[in-house]
Amino acid sequence: MTPQSGPPATAQPPFSQRFRERSILMHRETGGSTYLAALTDGRLDLTAYAALVSQHTVIYRTLEQLGDAFADDPIAGKFAFPELARRPHLEADLAFLQARGIPISEPTEATTRYVERLTELAGWPAGFVAHHYVRYLGDISGGQAIGRQVATAYGLVPGGDGVRFYVFDNVKPKPFKENYRALLDAAPLDEREQDEVLDEVLLAYRLNVEVLTELAEQLLPHYPQVAS
Ligand code: HEM
């Protein structure tokens, strides 16, 4: 065995599969949020729901402004799907809730940190893709169930006013995700940058967990039925 040959390099699984493996790890933590659990099984109210809508509005405004800036980028531009845009839906949900006298909350510290990280990514298109994946593939996956549960729990119409954030017209989740994974696998990144992007996926999840944790800390003490 010549020195430079060494043991054969183990072939890396497809990039998209490595995303998914990172997702499975963090997903348990994210999906286990006490705030999301109380929200989806009807133990909160529209005011507590509006707090999440308010945070999402700030986060997606920044994410989609970054997406607009990367529209012509050879890496991030491939993920510019207009049908994913959430800003108009979130603005409609906020307006609907406000019209019903539901107070809209300020961005939390966790949301501000999340937005600061997104803003830092203006120079790193592949880093943006990590956050794009965590948010949008989550929204067209588990987010669909969350949207239905919130509507049912708080007397809204599934897919209607107040929960339009969860409506993805012209997106069929299964083929969309397959195409998305093919784009991840085709992204022209060397192994070092792939590893950095996968670390950014973990950071994106962590920032989302912190947003949900802060909402739990701020809100749940006001809902004794949750504590009991
Ligand atoms: C109650 C909370 C949640 C539930 C029940 C849930 C459920 C699911 C389900 C069933 C899938 C599809 C898994 C598959 O294709 O095998 C999924 C995928 C995903 N979820 Fe969640 N989810 C939740 C929260 C979240 C949150 C808060 C995020 C991110 C912030 C997230 C990000 C993702 C991502 C990125 C995927 C796609 C993974 C992939 O196919 O590569 N999820 N989720």
Side-chain angles (χ1 to χ4, degrees):
M1 182 167 21
T2 57
Q4 74 278 0
S5 64
T10 47
Q12 287 278 17
F15 195 31
S16 60
Q17 190 181 321
R18 298 171 70 199
F19 268 70
R20 203 171 156 78
E21 283 155 9
R22 293 290 168 99
S23 266
I24 292 162
L25 272 181
M26 285 303 291
H27 212 258
R28 294 199 192 104
E29 205 179 325
T30 318
S33 143
T34 50
Y35 167 79
L36 274 180
L39 181 73
T40 50
D41 65 17
R43 290 179 288 148
L44 302 180
D45 58 17
L46 283 178
T47 300
Y49 168 57
L52 180 64
V53 180
S54 308
Q55 308 313 311
H56 279 164
T57 302
V58 177
I59 292 164
Y60 279 86
R61 189 180 296 140
T62 310
L63 183 66
E64 293 179 2
Q65 281 164 355
L66 203 52
D68 296 345
F70 282 137
D72 304 323
D73 179 82
I75 293 170
K78 295 264 186 320
F79 297 85
F81 299 99
E83 60 271 36
L84 290 179
R86 295 300 88 192
R87 276 176 292 189
H89 296 268
L90 284 162
E91 272 137 29
D93 288 345
L94 273 189
F96 171 81
L97 293 164
Q98 274 177 309
R100 288 175 65 142
I102 308 283
I104 300 306
S105 62
E106 291 301 309
T108 62
E109 284 175 24
T111 295
T112 305
R113 282 196 302 276
Y114 193 167
V115 164
E116 280 163 5
R117 178 58 188 161
L118 291 172
T119 310
E120 285 168 4
L121 294 176
W124 185 26
F128 160 77
V129 173
H131 289 264
H132 188 279
Y133 161 85
V134 168
R135 280 310 327 179
Y136 293 111
L137 255 64
D139 295 333
I140 64 172
S141 304
Q144 297 304 292
I146 295 172
R148 282 192 300 277
Q149 290 165 326
V150 166
T152 311
Y154 305 110
L156 303 175
V157 178
D161 289 338
V163 283
R164 294 195 184 285
F165 168 73
Y166 301 97
V167 178
F168 287 83
D169 297 318
N170 313 320
V171 173
K172 290 197 174 47
K174 192 164 176 306
F176 186 90
K177 287 201 268 187
E178 280 157 13
N179 175 54
Y180 196 101
R181 291 183 186 125
L183 289 173
L184 289 175
D185 294 341
L189 306 174
D190 63 23
E191 206 152 318
R192 182 185 54 75
E193 189 167 9
Q194 285 193 345
D195 290 341
E196 289 168 355
V197 170
L198 291 167
D199 289 345
E200 192 70 25
V201 167
L202 288 183
L203 177 58
Y205 267 109
R206 204 160 297 126
L207 289 163
N208 277 284
V209 167
E210 289 169 10
V211 169
L212 296 169
T213 304
E214 196 164 355
L215 287 177
E217 287 160 2
Q218 286 185 357
L219 295 166
L220 300 191
H222 305 287
Y223 297 85
Q225 69 273 28
V226 175
S228 58

